Amino acid sequence: MGNDLLLKNASYLNVAEGRYDKADIRVSGGAIADIGSDLKAEGETVIDAVNKFVLPGLIDCHVHVTAATADLGQLGEWSPYYVAFHTAKLMGEMLDRGFTTVRDAAGADFGIHDAQAEGLLRGPKVFFAGKALSQTGGHADPRPRGRQAYDACYCHPHIGRLADGVDAVRQAARDELRKGAHHIKIMAGGGVASPTDRIDSTQYSLSEIEAAVEEATAANRYVTAHAYTGRSINRALRAGVRGIEHGNLLDDESLELFKEYNAFLTMNLVTYWALEREGRKFGLSQENWEKVAAVLDGGYEALGKAHEAGINLTYGTDLLGGMQVHQAEEFAIRAKVMPPIDVIRSATTTAASLIQREGELGTIAVGARGDFIITTDDPLKDITVLSQSKLDYVIQDGAVVKTANTATAVR
């Protein structure tokens, strides 16, 4: 299903080449059917894009659409219906910022995916992991030290589930795949928003990681791993993990392994930028807030090293609670150490490769989905066009889903 649209006089970004090409673009049934000169309207919606800049719809490769609070332990106590209403609001706001696709890194499930796909939920397309897999005491174990019981009922909106031992990890991975997960998320090291683990810890044995990778590979899916330190990153990559989330404390060996295995790195500096400023306001405990500085400082250096080394960098934000309003700020943060075109690639072509939708998403080409953002100013010259969401149009599957007050010439 999709919509019919004709963009006239478009200067559209050829992301691979890093240049703008001029053409008309026809979308039929939600997909790009033709790119050429002087295309004639055939009854579809027409937008005159003269003097505008047309980019592919943006992809955020690390979101938590259910994370309406930074207190992830408390989130698991909420009613799933209440979480769903928060999710609808958060996803609608993501779409308004031009993110027509997101990869949920733990929390979303087939219900959210299906509701969006069926038009019941306004928001980006969702590629989901289901619940992240964590060892006891790992990054997705929400229990404080004094609590023993853990209710892992599917209907509870925890972002993770506990699985200890090879057999348990294998069963948990199979169960998330059974429910339609597009990728498996594992916690391979310590984190910021968890109560009992340290940033410098490694999590899961190699055999447990390999079991998750084996199950994902069998289903033509992949594993992505939460990991900050070089030690945790390197053992995960050697075990066959395809993606690393965060990576702020990577080392030189990590850079070599990323290239050797053609793996992907999804950093998200904006979440630490936001947590440092607003985390306690939105539910982050003082103890967890104090972990933020350790990963924020290392993140800028790691991003610069990864870009210089030619690593597959994908755009991610990982924002929690009310801090999700800063989603687009990651563009400005990355532009401090990367050229704008490479930042845009991280949110388009490279992101599409990670989610296994190369040629379908994150690009403007015949056969790709009709997802676009249209701006008055050139993001290659001024990244604030994206970081401040200065968008004239957001278009998803050929349908105009948002217009700026100044946007005109739709008929």
Side-chain angles (χ1 to χ4, degrees), residues 332-346:
I333 292 173
R334 291 190 180 212
K336 294 177 181 179
V337 295
M338 297 169 60
I341 184 59
D342 288 336
V343 182
I344 292 169
R345 285 175 177 136
S346 73

Side-chain angles (χ1 to χ4, degrees), residues 40-119:
K40 304 301 182 184
E42 299 175 353
E44 62 270 86
T45 299
V46 178
I47 296 178
D48 187 356
V50 66
N51 298 324
K52 305 286 186 183
F53 298 88
V54 182
L55 279 68
L58 304 174
I59 305 171
D60 189 332
C61 286
H62 190 131
V63 302
H64 297 285
V65 299
T66 65
T69 174
D71 186 347
L72 297 180
Q74 182 62 32
L75 181 67
E77 307 299 321
W78 289 9
S79 160
Y81 301 105
Y82 183 59
V83 172
F85 281 107
H86 272 289
T87 296
K89 178 177 182 293
L90 292 171
M91 286 181 60
E93 292 168 348
M94 290 178 183
L95 187 62
D96 288 344
R97 298 182 199 108
F99 292 94
T100 54
T101 300
V102 295
R103 183 181 69 139
D104 190 275
D109 66 3
F110 63 89
I112 291 171
H113 171 275
D114 293 357
Q116 190 281 330
E118 294 172 18

Side-chain angles (χ1 to χ4, degrees), residues 37 65 73 76 116 136 143 160 177 202 218 224 227 234 243 250 303 321 323 327 333-334 338 344-345 349-350 381 408:
S37 58
V65 299
Q116 190 281 330
T136 294
R143 299 171 298 174
L177 292 165
T202 63
T224 195
N234 300 346
L250 56 74
L303 179 63
M323 293 173 284
Q327 182 181 24
I333 292 173
R334 291 190 180 212
M338 297 169 60
I344 292 169
R345 285 175 177 136
T349 50
T350 310
K381 296 180 179 178
T408 57

Side-chain angles (χ1 to χ4, degrees), residues 349-402:
T349 50
T350 310
S353 295
L354 171 59
I355 63 175
Q356 302 175 314
R357 292 298 186 275
E358 192 171 7
E360 178 184 341
L361 299 173
T363 188
I364 298 175
V366 173
R369 299 305 301 173
D371 296 344
F372 312 98
I373 57 173
I374 302 178
T375 68
T376 296
D377 299 316
D378 182 359
L380 295 182
K381 296 180 179 178
D382 181 7
I383 201 67
T384 65
V385 173
L386 299 181
S387 66
Q388 297 178 16
S389 302
K390 300 175 182 177
L391 311 178
D392 293 348
Y393 298 90
V394 179
I395 298 166
Q396 185 183 53
D397 294 324
V400 177
V401 295
K402 184 179 186 297

